[in-house]
């Protein structure tokens, strides 16, 4: 791989990491993105529409995906994780574990013949387990790189894909590799994950079929999702005429170890509520909230529009319980309307629980490898809110996106650019 | 301009998942296209923008020796650059690509009329193919980028941006209209979420900026003229004291002109008593052990805050937005003050302590028995001043009860609004503004720091209400954008520009008057003088070409012929175009 000075390593290929990579590469430095999943794109690729403009998420993300892929200064290592890191600012030695994908990235053209042939169907992680994929798959149509991956846990070694592949790209004997990379600076852009809302049994998630989480809702209304974009109940195919969104689940809750605000859930739920109305203008849509935090550019205006133009109903109160009726599969939300002090029982045909964000799996392990301190909440600790909002204790390691705490897309992108700026100051010093 | 060989056109119709194919019969559209003159290949595909779709275009260009490509998919706003790049990689000039918008212009707006939508899609594709036949290839041009950034505004964002660019090895011209650097932050005694005062945060930045050999600082100064184009701007800066003017050549610009705190005359008796102040004014009070009443200097024993003053007012222009910083700033100030003040009350609509450490302030304030009371949005608290005492009454939503309070000091957490001269700044740098009055970024989601004026970035509260920490992040990000342009040293510019045929120009100046970008000037070196276009400034809007009474202006890539051909393709059958009878 390229020479040591003038290269940056980016851990995580979501929208923040991609932005950082592009801004570093634009200055002529080399960048290596290490991404754990088979494709870059992160959470944003899974989202249907974005607030506050209702832009289609995939549509605005794909130009960035191709830009990253095509950039001559950017190397993408998918299915890969940081193994070990040594050295110091300006001169890090990184060992990257590149897991076998059983498909030769150079040979695969992404034609999909293998997946057509593959007899094994398993729930698709990208579709939140609501749709299916084959044991050899790309996670989503715009996956970058557009290279298939064999999921060895589910592969039955029937070799049908190997035979059908005209380019002879599939090698089921492939083994994991260690890639060594010399970097002058490192950017942590690992993102975050959704809180597991089944930790609140009273809200019925994982107990009742028609209680789903917000990311499942995103896939359900997405044209490329498991229902082709039809908002229906997966339990019985019924179009839900009454939908409730429950806020602050796994956020602002000291008892559950998530005392902080997750910052995005209010807005994504208002957006989801609007999407529900767009899919079915006759539906009745409720949002149960504690405070509506519409703080970003254009957010408050979007919240007003959801109320005034779409007629989304907002009820201030933490939901006590979601109960299921015996026959219809319908649900009853029990909640105190804190503005009227009334206890209400409201029937819904579908309930969406809006999870907060928590640090991604493996965050503490990565922090240990990089020698970085963490916050009590389990995110990477930033150096200082004003003097180093994207800096860490290590002067050559920076952080952006959700790796230091929940952020929406524009804030993640902005932080990605900021981390790139700081990294290039170090890379340029090495060049002198 | 070169006329390419016989057109060999490929048409690619995109499903965009169900976005288009759910309404438009894409197969039928692709099938129809096959029959159009010069079309040698036509197909439909799930996602043209995906890697597979892009590869398909490249493969078919090679296979069929295509020299024109039409993609019928979404708005060119997002993916025209993608497809232009794809055809270029396959050896076709980017200006021989044409995109039809079947999504925003067809499937999304005619959801309930699939048949009519399909017909419209066919018409649009016909028109695009006709246009493709007469497209001409255009050169790819670049301009150099000078290695100096102009930073407008010496607040926390401007200082940070200047330092980052200087540290990266590029020159900075920092222009601040006040006599001191530091902006609002310098004046504030509490700054959340850190425990430092604003001065402690700002002083080291100012010191570093002043000592930096790559940063030139001009205080008491204002940009009064701004001309040129990306990479090559000419700036005139005037010293407001001495009225001395200086000219500078610069490559990139960061506008960090910040905000002003709203002074809420007409709200909650502001101005009627010295004991009613804004949050910004409270933050600027000299630090002392005991907060004193401005009116009589006695210690404050009861204090109240009212949130969302001049923010979140639907229908009130420039005040509809949330000002983002105030909830956490109020919670922090209240928690701090509660240690010395017996009663601290906060009236709010929603508590928006969203950021890192903010929720902790809110919790801390509650733990210290700061009283939070929610008021209804349609019945705001009433504040009156009687015998120099401040009286408040409001309805507490949660207790459903009318309440009253008599604070010694009332603090209004007012909106962040743009500075008075923002319209002037916007005009100077050709920036647009959104409903909140602040500058519009290039894209609200994915390009929050760049603008529609190439080479001009925005950072900090000039883009939207935000707190100091967020402004610092923006500033470094905007610096990265500027450095990205300067490190490369050159940038590509569009060839879709207008061009004056000097022999036809009658020197009437009409084009100069109508050009919104100041891209046209008179060439006085010839007699009679004729108009000429500075291509790097031209945005290709075509206004000049349509206004020119002598038809002396060509708009490349939208020539009269190219437009008329589309109109003919829509109105006439192919047979008619060949001179035959209508079908």
């Amino acid at each position: 791989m390229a020479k040591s000075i003038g290269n940056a390593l980016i851990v995580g290929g979501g929208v923040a990491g991609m932005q950082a990579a592009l801004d570093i590469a634009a200055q002529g430095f080399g960048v290596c993105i290490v991404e754990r999943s088979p494709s870059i794109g992160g959470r944003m690729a899974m989202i249907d529409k974005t607030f506050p403009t209702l832009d289609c998420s995939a549509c605005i993300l794909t130009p960035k995906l191709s830009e990253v892929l095509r950039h001559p200064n950017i190397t993408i290592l998918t299915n890969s994780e940081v193994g070990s890191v040594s050295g110091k600012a300006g001169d890090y030695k990184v060992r990257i574990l590149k897991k076998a994908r059983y498909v030769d990235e150079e040979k695969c053209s992404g034609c999909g013949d293998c997946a057509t042939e593959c007899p094994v169907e398993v729930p698709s992680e990208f579709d939140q387990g609501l749709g299916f994929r084959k044991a050899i798959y790309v996670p989503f149509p715009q996956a970058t790189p557009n290279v298939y991956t064999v999921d060895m846990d589910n592969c039955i070694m029937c070799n049908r894909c190997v035979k059908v592949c005209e380019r002879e790209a599939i090698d089921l004997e492939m083994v994991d590799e260690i890639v060594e990379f010399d970097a002058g600076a490192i950017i942590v852009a690992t993102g975050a994950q959704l809180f597991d809302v089944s930790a609140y049994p009273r809200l019925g998630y994982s107990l009742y079929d028609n209680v789903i989480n917000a990311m499942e809702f995103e896939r359900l209304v997405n044209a490329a999702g498991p229902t082709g974009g039809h908002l229906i109940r997966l339990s019985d195919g019924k179009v839900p005429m009454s939908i409730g969104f429950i806020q602050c689940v796994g956020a602002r809750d000291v008892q559950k170890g998530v005392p902080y605000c997750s910052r995005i859930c209010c807005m994504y739920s208002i957006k989801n509520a609007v999407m529900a109305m767009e899919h079915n203008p006759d539906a009745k849509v409720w949002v149960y909230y504690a405070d509506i935090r519409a703080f970003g550019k254009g957010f408050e205006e979007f919240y007003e529009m959801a109320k005034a133009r779409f007629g989304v109903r907002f009820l201030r109160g933490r939901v006590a319980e979601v109960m299921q009726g015996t026959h219809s599969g319908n649900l009853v939300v029990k909640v105190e309307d804190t503005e009227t002090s009334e206890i209400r029982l409201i029937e819904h045909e579908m309930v969406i629980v809006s999870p907060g964000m928590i640090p991604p799996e493996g965050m503490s392990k990565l922090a240990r490898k990089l020698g970085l301190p963490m916050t009590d909440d389990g995110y990477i600790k930033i150096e200082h809110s004003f003097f180093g909002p994207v800096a860490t204790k290590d002067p050559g390691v920076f952080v952006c996106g959700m790796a230091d705490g929940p952020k929406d897309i524009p804030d993640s992108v902005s932080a990605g650019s900021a981390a790139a700026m700081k990294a290039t100051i170090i890379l340029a010093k090495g060049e002198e | 301009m070169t006329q390419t060989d016989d057109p060999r056109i490929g048409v690619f119709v995109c499903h965009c998942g169900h976005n288009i194919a759910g309404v438009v019969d894409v197969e039928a559209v692709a099938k129809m296209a096959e029959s159009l003159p010069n079309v040698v290949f036509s197909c439909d595909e799930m996602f043209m923008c995906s890697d597979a779709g892009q590869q398909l275009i490249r493969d078919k260009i090679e296979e069929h020796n295509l020299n024109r490509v039409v993609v019928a998919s979404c708005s060119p706003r997002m993916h025209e650059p993608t497809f232009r790049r794809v055809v270029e990689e396959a050896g076709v000039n980017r200006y021989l690509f044409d995109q039809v918008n079947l999504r925003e212009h067809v499937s999304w707006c005619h959801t309930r009329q699939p048949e009519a939508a399909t017909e419209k899609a066919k018409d649009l594709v016909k028109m695009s193919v006709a246009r493709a036949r007469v497209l001409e290839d255009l050169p790819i041009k670049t301009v150099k980028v000078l290695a100096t950034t102009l930073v407008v505004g010496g607040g926390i964002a401007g200082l940070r941006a200047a330092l980052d660019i200087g540290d990266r090895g590029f020159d900075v011209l920092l222009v601040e209209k006040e006599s001191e650097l530091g902006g609002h932050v310098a004046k504030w005694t509490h700054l959340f979420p850190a425990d430092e005062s604003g001065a402690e945060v700002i002083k080291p930045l100012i010191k570093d900026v002043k000592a930096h050999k790559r940063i030139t600082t001009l205080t008491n100064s204002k940009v009064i003229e701004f001309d040129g184009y990306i990479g090559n701007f000419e700036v005139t800066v005037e010293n407001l004291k001495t009225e001395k003017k200086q000219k500078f050549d610069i490559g990139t610009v960061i506008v960090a002109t910040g905000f002003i705190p709203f002074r809420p005359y007409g709200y909650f008796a502001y101005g009627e008593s010295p004991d009613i102040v804004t949050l910004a004014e409270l933050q600027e009070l000299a630090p002392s052990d005991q907060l004193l009443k401005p009116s009589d200097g006695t210690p404050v024993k009861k204090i109240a805050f009212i949130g969302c003053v001049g923010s979140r007012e639907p229908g009130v222009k420039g005040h509809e937005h949330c000002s983002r910083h105030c909830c956490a700033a109020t919670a922090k100030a209240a928690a701090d003050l509660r240690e010395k003040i017996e009663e601290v009350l906060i009236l709010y609509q929603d508590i928006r302590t969203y950021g890192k450490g903010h929720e902790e302030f809110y919790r801390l304030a509650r733990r210290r028995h700061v009283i939070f009371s929610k008021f209804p949005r349609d019945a705001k608290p009433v504040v009156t001043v009687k015998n120099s005492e401040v009286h408040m009454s409001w309805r507490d939503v949660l207790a459903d009860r009318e309440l009253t309070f008599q604070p010694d000091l009332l603090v209004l957490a007012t909106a962040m609004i743009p500075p008075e001269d923002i319209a002037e700044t916007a005009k100077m740098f050709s920036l647009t503004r959104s409903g909140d009055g602040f500058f519009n970024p290039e894209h609200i989601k994915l390009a929050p720091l760049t603008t529609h004026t190439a080479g001009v970035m925005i950072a900090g509260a000039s883009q939207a209400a935000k707190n100091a920490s967020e402004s610092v992040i923006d500033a470094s990000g905007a610096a990265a954008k500027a450095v990205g342009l300067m490190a490369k040293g050159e940038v590509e510019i569009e060839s879709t520009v207008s061009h004056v045929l000097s022999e036809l120009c009658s020197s009437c100046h009409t084009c100069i008057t109508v050009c919104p970008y100041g891209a046209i000037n008179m060439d006085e070196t010839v007699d009679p003088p004729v108009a000429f276009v500075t291509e790097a400034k031209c945005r290709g809007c075509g206004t000049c070409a349509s206004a020119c009474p002598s038809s002396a202006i060509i708009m490349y890539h939208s020539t009269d012929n190219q437009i008329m051909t589309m109109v003919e393709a829509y109105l006439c059958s192919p047979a008619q175009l060949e001179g035959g009878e209508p079908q």
Side-chain angles (χ1 to χ4, degrees):
Chain A
M1 221 162 256
K3 64 189 169 74
S4 92
I5 294 301
N7 284 327
L9 177 83
I10 296 179
V11 189
V15 70
M18 285 162 59
Q19 188 58 54
L22 288 169
D23 285 331
I24 294 172
Q27 296 189 29
F29 300 109
V31 182
C32 176
I33 300 179
V34 175
E35 165 60 43
R36 183 151 72 174
S37 79
S39 170
I40 58 168
R43 300 272 162 205
M44 191 177 166
M46 297 176 183
I47 296 169
D48 178 53
K49 299 284 193 298
T50 58
F51 59 81
T53 48
L54 295 179
D55 268 323
C56 152
S57 188
C59 306
I60 60 174
L61 184 68
T62 36
K64 280 234 194 279
L65 292 171
S66 346
E67 215 181 325
V68 171
L69 182 72
R70 305 267 157 224
H71 204 293
N73 297 354
I74 303 177
T75 309
I76 303 172
L77 294 179
T78 46
N79 278 333
S80 300
E81 285 178 30
V82 171
S84 66
V85 180
S86 60
K88 60 178 190 342
D91 185 19
Y92 295 102
K93 302 251 177 274
V94 186
R95 286 164 68 87
I96 299 159
L97 172 66
K98 190 172 185 305
K99 291 186 185 155
R101 97 186 289 154
Y102 308 100
V103 177
D104 186 328
E105 292 182 21
E106 299 300 316
K107 289 185 186 162
C108 176
S109 70
C111 70
D113 289 349
C114 52
T116 315
E117 193 65 20
C118 178
V120 183
E121 276 201 336
V122 288
S124 151
E125 296 83 356
F126 188 82
D127 277 337
Q128 307 298 303
L130 302 180
F132 292 90
R133 62 162 172 84
K134 295 296 183 68
I136 183 162
Y137 70 107
V138 282
F140 56 105
Q142 297 91 337
T144 308
N146 185 26
V147 171
Y148 277 73
T149 302
V150 177
D151 158 18
M152 241 341 139
D153 293 340
N154 289 298
C155 176
I156 55 168
M157 302 301 275
C158 67
N159 271 308
R160 285 167 67 167
C161 56
V162 178
K163 283 178 213 144
V164 79
C165 180
E166 283 178 15
R167 295 183 179 230
E168 298 179 345
I170 304 171
D171 171 10
L172 298 178
E173 307 292 307
M174 201 178 264
V175 289
D176 296 354
E177 274 176 77
I178 299 287
V179 178
E180 303 208 337
F181 185 76
D182 294 343
I186 297 173
I187 294 177
V188 183
T190 49
Q193 63 178 339
L194 269 62
F195 183 90
D196 177 6
V197 291
S198 59
Y200 292 83
R202 63 189 168 82
L203 299 180
Y205 181 81
S206 79
L207 299 176
Y208 308 137
D209 289 341
N210 300 323
V211 179
I212 61 172
N213 75 26
M215 193 54 107
E216 291 165 350
F217 181 86
E218 298 277 358
R219 297 314 302 155
L220 218 48
V221 292
N222 187 273
T227 58
H230 297 289
L231 177 55
I232 50 171
R233 306 206 300 198
L234 290 180
S235 60
D236 55 8
K238 194 173 168 191
V239 175
M241 294 305 292
S242 168
I243 302 173
F245 289 87
I246 303 178
Q247 296 307 108
C248 287
V249 183
R252 303 178 67 187
D253 188 340
V254 180
Q255 267 76 40
K256 289 281 193 279
V258 273
Y260 55 91
C261 167
S262 275
R263 200 161 163 160
I264 57 170
C265 336
C266 280
M267 290 311 296
Y268 77 59
S269 288
I270 298 173
K271 182 262 298 180
N272 284 344
V274 166
M275 287 316 296
M277 299 291 289
E278 286 241 297
H279 279 255
N280 185 357
D282 299 326
K284 293 193 170 34
V285 178
W286 294 73
V287 178
Y288 303 99
Y289 71 97
D291 290 287
I292 288 290
R293 297 189 162 171
F295 56 82
K297 190 175 179 77
F299 293 4
E300 178 71 14
E301 295 85 336
F302 187 78
Y303 169 41
E304 277 305 316
M305 184 191 76
K307 286 191 285 188
R309 208 173 103 198
F310 286 89
V312 175
R313 296 143 200 241
F314 288 85
L315 186 150
R316 187 182 181 280
R318 290 236 187 190
V319 169
E321 196 177 358
V322 176
M323 297 163 283
Q324 181 171 257
T326 39
H327 302 296
S328 61
N330 287 1
L331 304 149
V332 173
V333 165
K334 184 176 185 182
V335 60
E336 181 193 344
D337 182 341
T338 55
E339 298 195 341
T340 60
S341 306
E342 251 180 290
I343 306 290
R344 304 273 311 253
L345 294 169
I346 299 174
E347 187 173 347
H348 291 300
E349 295 181 343
M350 182 184 258
V351 165
I352 293 102
V353 183
S354 304
M357 304 305 293
I358 54 171
E361 221 181 293
M363 191 60 150
S364 55
K365 218 166 120 193
L366 179 70
R368 256 201 316 280
K369 284 175 188 168
L370 291 164
L372 300 179
M374 293 166 73
T375 63
D376 295 344
D377 301 329
Y379 294 96
I380 299 291
K381 192 169 187 204
I382 56 163
E383 192 54 5
H384 191 281
S385 315
F386 303 110
F387 298 123
V390 295
T392 68
K393 192 180 141 225
D394 185 327
V397 182
F398 305 96
V399 62
C400 63
M402 291 219 197
D404 65 306
K407 277 184 200 69
D408 57 31
I409 293 169
D411 287 350
S412 294
V413 168
S414 207
S417 292
M421 183 70 238
K422 300 296 182 182
T424 57
I425 292 173
I426 288 179
L427 299 180
K429 272 188 191 140
E431 244 186 2
E432 277 161 12
Chain B
M1 305 310 104
T2 51
Q3 190 63 52
T4 330
D5 313 334
D6 267 358
R8 296 180 58 80
I9 305 172
V11 179
F12 300 84
V13 184
C14 182
H15 296 215
C16 194
H18 277 248
N19 275 310
I20 296 171
V23 177
V24 173
D25 183 348
V26 287
E27 270 178 56
V29 175
K31 184 96 188 112
M32 181 280 306
E34 270 175 17
S35 64
L36 297 173
N38 298 91
V39 172
V40 292
F41 175 78
S42 172
C43 72
D44 57 281
E45 169 73 23
M46 185 54 107
F47 286 107
M48 285 313 303
C49 62
S50 68
D51 228 34
Q54 296 182 26
Q55 192 53 44
L56 181 73
I57 299 176
R58 283 187 286 259
D59 291 347
K60 294 299 168 188
I61 289 176
E62 202 187 319
E63 192 182 327
H64 297 279
N65 198 20
L66 303 177
N67 56 18
R68 311 287 158 105
V69 170
V70 170
V71 174
S73 54
C74 49
S75 158
R77 199 180 144 84
M78 205 65 225
H79 277 304
E80 188 178 63
T82 313
F83 296 125
R84 279 181 166 189
R85 200 201 59 237
V86 169
V87 300
E88 214 154 59
E89 282 162 357
V92 175
N93 182 277
R94 68 174 72 157
Y95 296 103
L96 298 176
F97 162 77
D98 199 51
Q99 188 163 357
V100 187
N101 186 352
L102 296 190
R103 196 180 64 187
E104 285 84 343
H105 286 180
V106 184
S107 61
W108 279 0
C109 52
H110 307 300
T111 325
R112 285 173 185 81
Q113 302 145 277
E115 279 160 25
T118 302
E119 285 312 304
K120 179 173 172 183
K122 285 179 182 174
D123 282 340
L124 291 174
V125 170
K126 259 185 225 167
M127 293 163 74
S128 172
V129 167
R131 171 176 155 80
R133 290 172 71 193
V134 293
L135 284 176
E136 294 171 331
D137 59 358
L138 297 172
I140 313 301
K141 294 176 185 165
T142 57
V143 292
K144 66 175 193 309
V145 181
L146 298 173
T148 305
T149 303
L150 165 72
V151 176
V152 187
I156 192 163
L159 292 170
R160 184 72 264 163
L163 278 175
D164 282 346
I165 295 169
D167 286 350
R168 174 64 182 79
F170 292 91
D171 293 327
V172 178
L173 176 67
L174 175 61
V175 177
E176 165 59 49
K177 72 181 170 189
E178 303 292 329
S179 57
E180 295 293 331
L181 295 172
H184 293 289
V185 172
K187 298 179 230 160
W188 289 347
T189 52
H190 331 53
L191 205 56
F192 71 94
D195 279 326
E196 290 90 350
S197 72
E200 284 171 290
V201 167
I202 274 294
K203 270 188 192 146
L205 292 178
I206 296 178
K207 189 168 146 265
D208 290 351
V209 162
K210 286 187 172 161
H212 208 294
K213 62 181 192 298
R214 289 204 174 268
I215 304 174
T216 308
T217 305
L218 300 175
T219 47
N220 287 317
S221 297
K222 211 172 163 179
V223 176
I224 54 160
E225 272 174 50
F226 182 75
D227 202 2
Y229 50 88
I230 181 170
N232 303 271
F233 297 109
E234 287 162 30
V235 184
T236 310
V237 180
E238 182 184 32
N239 185 304
L240 299 170
K241 290 257 162 71
T242 63
E243 296 186 3
K244 204 181 108 201
K245 290 173 188 150
Q246 280 177 278
K247 276 190 191 294
F248 300 89
D249 291 323
I250 53 154
T252 54
V253 182
I254 295 176
V255 179
T257 45
F259 71 98
I260 52 170
F262 176 55
R263 294 175 66 87
Y265 292 104
Y267 289 80
F268 306 122
Y270 181 73
E272 291 173 31
S273 158
D275 297 332
I276 301 176
V277 298
T278 66
L279 183 60
E281 287 161 353
L282 174 78
Q283 283 165 319
E284 287 169 21
L285 288 181
S288 72
D289 285 343
Q290 186 72 53
L291 187 62
L292 303 176
K293 269 176 89 166
S295 58
D296 58 12
T298 58
V300 172
K301 290 187 179 143
K302 294 192 283 181
I303 186 169
F305 293 82
I306 300 178
C308 301
V309 180
S311 303
R312 302 184 62 189
E313 299 180 357
V316 182
K317 199 166 181 285
H319 291 282
E320 292 177 300
H321 62 283
C322 164
S323 289
R324 190 165 176 157
H325 75 295
C326 359
C327 280
T330 303
K332 162 88 171 147
D336 287 353
L337 290 168
R338 179 63 186 85
E339 299 212 85
K340 286 172 190 145
I341 295 178
E342 287 162 23
E343 277 183 76
V344 180
L345 168 72
I346 295 179
L347 301 191
Y348 71 98
Q349 296 190 64
D350 288 284
I351 294 291
R352 296 184 165 172
T353 42
Y354 61 88
K356 202 188 317 261
H358 296 185
E359 192 73 7
E360 284 75 359
F361 289 144
Y362 178 33
R363 220 168 274 126
L364 177 71
R366 281 191 177 277
R367 215 166 40 236
R368 288 185 180 163
H369 304 289
V370 169
I371 302 158
F372 286 81
S373 173
K374 182 175 162 72
F375 64 84
R377 67 174 316 158
D378 46 4
K380 296 212 167 165
V382 174
V383 177
T384 48
V385 180
K386 278 179 222 148
N387 308 326
S388 33
E389 283 174 343
V390 180
H391 295 260
M392 308 165 62
S393 64
W394 75 99
R395 191 167 76 83
D396 181 290
V397 171
L398 307 184
D400 194 18
R401 200 179 270 193
E402 298 296 328
L403 298 174
T404 59
F405 191 62
Q406 252 174 276
D408 297 324
L409 185 67
L410 171 62
V411 182
L412 305 177
T414 63
M416 275 191 178
I417 58 169
E420 289 98 349
D421 58 356
I422 191 159
E424 205 182 307
T425 314
K427 190 154 180 269
M428 173 101 55
F429 299 102
S430 305
L431 302 177
T432 56
R433 292 160 63 200
S434 38
D436 55 11
F438 294 103
F439 299 124
N440 253 332
E442 188 180 359
H443 190 282
I444 199 164
K445 218 63 190 172
L446 291 181
L449 306 171
T450 46
T451 70
H452 288 291
T453 306
V456 177
M457 274 55 75
I458 45 177
S462 69
Q463 190 248 30
K466 57 188 64 177
N467 68 37
S469 176
E470 291 157 350
S471 296
V472 169
I473 294 176
D474 269 15
S476 292
K481 300 289 172 192
V483 171
L485 290 168
M486 297 189 294
K488 218 169 160 198
E490 59 173 33
V491 65
E492 272 186 15
I493 56 162
E494 273 292 336
S495 282
T496 51
V497 291
S498 60
H499 175 73
V500 181
L501 299 170
S502 47
E503 62 276 20
L504 296 180
C505 176
S506 62
S507 315
C508 71
H509 286 65
T510 305
C511 54
I512 297 180
T513 324
V514 298
C515 177
Y517 302 101
I520 311 182
N521 290 90
M522 292 307 281
D523 181 358
E524 307 281 352
T525 62
V526 292
D527 185 32
V530 291
F532 76 96
V533 179
T534 304
E535 294 193 346
K537 287 177 82 176
C538 175
R539 306 298 297 270
C541 68
T543 311
C544 55
S546 50
C548 178
S550 317
S551 301
I553 300 184
I554 301 177
M555 181 59 229
Y556 288 137
H557 206 54
S558 293
T559 62
D560 288 355
N561 181 35
Q562 286 161 357
I563 291 169
M564 287 313 293
T565 309
M566 293 172 77
V567 176
E568 284 166 9
Y570 174 65
L571 295 174
C572 313
S573 68
Q576 275 176 300
L577 288 173
E578 302 295 324
E581 290 299 306
Q583 288 169 338

